[in-house]
Amino acid sequence: MAAPLLTIVLAAGKGTRMRSATPKVLHAVAGRSMLGHVLDRGRTLAPQRQAVVVGPDMAMVAAEAQAAGDEVETFIQPDQRGTADAVLAAAPALKAHRGDVLVLFADTPLLRTETLERMREVLEAGAGVAVLGFEAVDPTGYGRLLTDGAGAVVAVREHADANEEERRVRLCNAGVMAFRVPDLLGLLGRIGSDNAKGELYLTDAVGLARGDGHIVRTVVCCEEEVLGVNSRDQLAVAEGVWQQRRRLEAMRDGATLIAPETVWFSYDTVIGRDVTIEPNVFIGPGVVIEDRVTIHANSHIVGRQGKYREGLRIREGASVGPFARLRPGADIGREVHIGNFVEVKNAVIEAGAKANHLAYIGDGRVGAGANIGAGTIFCNYDGFDKHQTEIGAGAFIGSNSSLVAPVKIGDGAYVASGSVITKNVPPDALALSRTPQEVREGWAAKYRARRKRKS
Ligand code: UD1
Ligand code: CA
């Protein structure tokens, strides 16, 4: 049995290099905040509690943390006096806890569960402190893991405090640390600020723990996994790494991606088997794609956006795109065809229905097997409210029809092309609302003859 676990996520840094009105850790990777990713990673270890340390004016960060789960509790660090000071801001959680403590940085969204589990195993095996290290291609700016002759870590030296020789060390501190020392609060309380930045470095815990006779062990992972995001270009790098992992996972799970590098997923995308996704497809949050679905090229599919939280499902065997746009609340039924330049929002499209070209289907229902002609518009909005359009099973909506909601078209009814439908249509009826056609025999020939004579 693993010891009970407390995770402490540090998120009080200002993140000035993002140049943003939004706190750094709320910037998103794959549609979810970096803080959300880190808390989710922490949760995979089944901690008793997750403490999140935020700055004094970070109500949004605290709210995001709280929303992540019931085990999350936030603490305020009044002044940013360093990473050890940040951990001490969560002292009440530490005091109440008996067991292991894992410290994570909220700006490191790509960590893997396996790596964190390895850190816990090291504690299990007798270490008092575990440090996550990596070989940096360019170690500038990172703390260096200084080892003794036997390869054991004796101290972490921050870049600013390191001498020439220490700076040549490429094994760096990733920022993740795990503790199983009986009096962690006491240990942290002994950390001073006599260093280049005048900060309280959490990393000083390594030297102190060794001095107390504890074993300090290193777990090494790859650099990509511990990428810390300080700027927007690093945010884009993190996004790229995340997407590449997810694409591989999708393909391993039985989806075909013709050009994987052009398909974008979200943190919560669910994909079934034998799904084919053509090039240039963007999938935002809240999307479930069932088995045997085909998403044709250049489609944009988002299940949750802003105030629209409904989510979106594409059921078995459906075909979407090319150039389709699916929005929150779209429920695309089995074997449905949604074609080019069709937008669906908050509407249920029942099994086998077709909308193959150029349509807006917003707020309503399309019955099973119905056919929506090119240019059909659900006129759902009157400038104040949204209204529903109901189309019965097997109905046929002729091209270029405007259905002015609220309106109902009965099962099996026909709507003639070019109609503007403002009243309900009974089942199996024909509704037709357009100017009757006038034909003048021979008119064109006479007209041309007249014009020719004049010139
Ligand atoms: C830190 C490590 C360094 C490591 C690097 C890896 C220390 C002293 N240094 O340096 O060894 O190589 O990460 O990326 O730990 N934070 C607070 N309150 C504070 C200061 C920081 O909450 O007072 C939070 C930040 O929001 C961030 C994390 O702690 O999430 C790390 O702080 P940051 O200033 O980025 O540390 P680095 O200088 O990058
Ligand atoms: Ca950092």
Side-chain angles (χ1 to χ4, degrees):
M1 257 296 279
L5 179 69
L6 165 69
T7 67
I8 301 179
V9 177
L10 306 190
K14 292 193 182 69
T16 45
R17 278 172 288 174
M18 294 299 278
R19 297 190 183 277
S20 174
T22 305
K24 174 168 83 171
V25 299
L26 295 186
H27 283 263
V29 169
R32 162 188 264 181
S33 71
M34 292 194 274
L35 175 61
H37 280 278
V38 173
L39 287 171
D40 196 49
R41 237 0 60 175
R43 179 167 308 117
T44 59
L45 303 170
Q48 290 187 312
R49 220 172 179 191
Q50 299 214 79
V52 179
V53 178
V54 302
D57 300 312
M58 292 192 176
M60 275 164 69
V61 179
E64 173 81 357
Q66 228 83 61
D70 292 340
E71 85 286 7
V72 177
E73 195 178 347
T74 55
F75 297 88
I76 292 175
Q77 181 192 20
D79 302 300
Q80 274 62 69
R81 301 201 300 136
T83 44
D85 180 62
V87 173
L88 283 168
L94 279 166
K95 277 191 192 122
H97 179 73
R98 295 278 164 278
D100 296 350
V101 177
L102 179 69
V103 178
L104 303 167
F105 292 169
D107 64 358
T108 310
L110 299 171
L111 278 168
R112 288 175 196 271
T113 302
E114 300 88 86
T115 304
L116 299 178
E117 272 166 357
R118 276 162 58 211
M119 308 236 354
R120 295 196 75 192
E121 282 160 18
V122 161
L123 298 184
E124 206 85 353
V129 179
V131 183
L132 185 61
F134 66 102
E135 292 278 342
V137 173
D138 174 11
T140 311
Y142 288 113
R144 309 299 207 282
L145 300 187
L146 306 182
T147 50
D148 63 15
V153 178
V154 291
V156 181
R157 187 79 71 239
E158 288 307 300
H159 182 87
D161 299 295
N163 62 33
E164 281 291 299
E165 191 190 342
E166 288 165 342
R167 285 186 181 185
R168 277 197 290 275
V169 172
R170 286 184 49 211
L171 185 62
C172 292
N173 174 30
V176 181
M177 291 177 76
F179 299 93
R180 182 180 276 187
V181 291
D183 180 20
L184 181 56
L185 273 171
L187 186 97
L188 296 178
R190 276 148 59 201
I191 291 175
S193 59
D194 183 14
N195 53 52
K197 288 194 195 163
E199 286 188 1
L200 298 154
Y201 294 158
L202 178 63
T203 44
D204 284 355
V206 167
L208 290 172
R210 265 184 70 94
D212 290 352
H214 294 294
I215 300 170
V216 178
R217 293 276 305 278
T218 318
V219 167
V220 177
C221 72
C222 71
E223 182 165 12
E224 175 190 282
E225 196 178 326
V226 289
L227 176 83
V229 174
N230 297 316
S231 57
R232 306 234 190 193
D233 56 308
Q234 288 170 330
L235 183 70
V237 173
E239 178 80 35
V241 171
W242 191 96
Q243 293 294 341
Q244 193 48 26
R245 283 186 191 171
R246 185 67 185 89
R247 290 162 188 151
L248 289 172
E249 187 182 285
M251 291 186 279
R252 264 201 306 272
D253 290 348
T256 294
L257 310 185
I258 293 171
E261 64 285 3
T262 68
V263 176
W264 299 79
F265 295 108
S266 281
Y267 70 97
D268 61 351
T269 308
V270 177
I271 317 166
R273 285 217 175 170
D274 291 314
V275 166
T276 299
I277 305 180
E278 290 184 356
N280 299 322
V281 170
F282 179 86
I283 299 170
V287 174
V288 177
I289 301 170
E290 295 186 358
D291 295 350
R292 296 187 295 104
V293 163
T294 300
I295 314 275
H296 295 281
N298 300 306
S299 293
H300 192 271
I301 300 169
V302 177
R304 280 202 310 278
Q305 189 159 42
K307 63 178 177 167
Y308 297 110
R309 313 302 297 166
E310 296 93 331
L312 179 167
R313 181 176 285 268
I314 307 172
R315 294 177 195 270
E316 269 184 67
S319 165
V320 170
F323 295 98
R325 180 171 186 206
L326 304 184
R327 294 175 52 204
D331 182 337
I332 309 301
R334 292 173 76 119
E335 312 291 336
V336 161
H337 286 204
I338 299 294
N340 47 285
F341 306 106
V342 173
E343 174 177 341
V344 182
K345 185 215 75 172
N346 191 31
V348 178
I349 317 293
E350 292 178 0
K354 290 187 170 69
N356 277 329
H357 346 256
L358 303 155
Y360 174 61
I361 301 175
D363 298 303
R365 179 182 78 93
V366 175
N371 194 307
I372 308 293
T376 297
I377 304 294
F378 283 31
C379 309
N380 60 331
Y381 187 49
D382 59 13
F384 296 92
D385 296 307
K386 303 280 168 67
H387 303 281
Q388 297 284 317
T389 299
E390 292 258 349
I391 295 179
F396 184 96
I397 311 300
S399 294
N400 203 30
S401 297
S402 300
L403 310 176
V404 182
V407 72
K408 285 186 180 152
I409 315 291
D411 290 355
Y414 262 67
V415 168
S417 277
S419 296
V420 177
I421 300 296
T422 54
K423 295 199 270 288
N424 292 348
V425 179
D428 293 319
L430 167 69
L432 171 130
S433 94
R434 61 189 184 208
T435 323
Q437 182 171 322
E438 197 183 324
V439 175
R440 300 183 189 175
E441 294 278 357
W443 182 94
K446 278 187 216 154
Y447 175 72
R448 272 193 298 271
R450 199 164 68 229
R451 295 304 297 255
K452 217 178 261 167
R453 239 179 287 128
K454 274 190 190 153
S455 58

